[in-house]
Every structure is written in C-alpha cells, then in structure tokens.
C-alpha cells in the first residue's frame, strides 16, 4: 500500500507522516521528508518507507501486513 500527500504552500518544506493505531489513540510519528531528505523513525524502519519532496509531495509505503492496520495522517509544515 502506498499513501500520497501533497500541498501547494510554497514556503512549506516538510511533510510528516503519523500513525494512529486501533489500540492506541495517540499519534505516533512514523517519519518525515524535509526537502528531499526522508527520515523514518527507528521503530518504524522495517515497516515503512518514505519518499518524496517536502516542498511538494510525499509518499508513505506500508511494507508489512495487517499488524499495521491504523489510521494514517500527513501534515505539511515549514521547518528551518
């Protein structure tokens, strides 16, 4: 499964991905792409891949199966 997220705010350079699992309502940061530099948090590296450009569009690929059933969110922001 590949999820995509895009924005059109020219000053934003970062797209972040979050997971909200069924068992835990807290949002967990999976990772982000800052400009063209993706980062996946250590606990998620085996399960997810992030690609893209934080100024335009990013994708989140879910690499494993049903244990990652959850709601996924993206957010765009401006980072320095």
């Amino acid at each position: 499964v590949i999820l995509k997220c895009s924005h059109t705010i020219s000053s934003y350079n970062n797209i972040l991905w979050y997971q909200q699992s069924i068992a835990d309502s807290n949002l967990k940061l999976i990772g982000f792409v800052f400009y063209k530099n993706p980062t996946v948090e250590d606990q998620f590296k085996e399960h997810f891949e992030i690609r893209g450009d934080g100024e335009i569009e990013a994708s989140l690929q879910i690499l494993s199966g049903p244990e990652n059933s959850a709601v996924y969110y993206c957010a765009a922001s401006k980072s320095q």
Side-chain angles (χ1 to χ4, degrees), residues 2-52:
I2 298 176
L3 305 175
K4 294 194 175 201
C5 179
S6 63
H7 68 85
T8 58
I9 304 169
S10 62
S11 62
Y12 283 17
N13 53 19
N14 200 27
I15 295 178
L16 304 97
W17 288 98
Y18 295 93
Q19 179 191 61
Q20 185 179 38
S21 67
I22 295 164
D24 183 358
S25 62
N26 294 321
L27 292 178
K28 295 177 187 166
L29 177 66
I30 298 168
F32 57 91
V33 59
F34 176 64
Y35 289 102
K36 295 180 181 167
N37 302 308
T39 299
V40 178
E41 298 294 308
D42 288 341
Q43 70 186 36
F44 292 111
K45 285 187 176 180
E46 293 182 17
H47 304 284
F48 299 94
E49 195 169 282
I50 295 174
R51 292 188 180 105

Side-chain angles (χ1 to χ4, degrees), residues 1-3 19 30 46-50 59-70 72:
V1 173
I2 298 176
L3 305 175
Q19 179 191 61
I30 298 168
E46 293 182 17
H47 304 284
F48 299 94
E49 195 169 282
I50 295 174
S59 63
L60 175 70
Q61 183 173 8
I62 302 171
L63 302 174
S64 55
E67 67 274 10
N68 287 311
S69 291
Y72 293 91

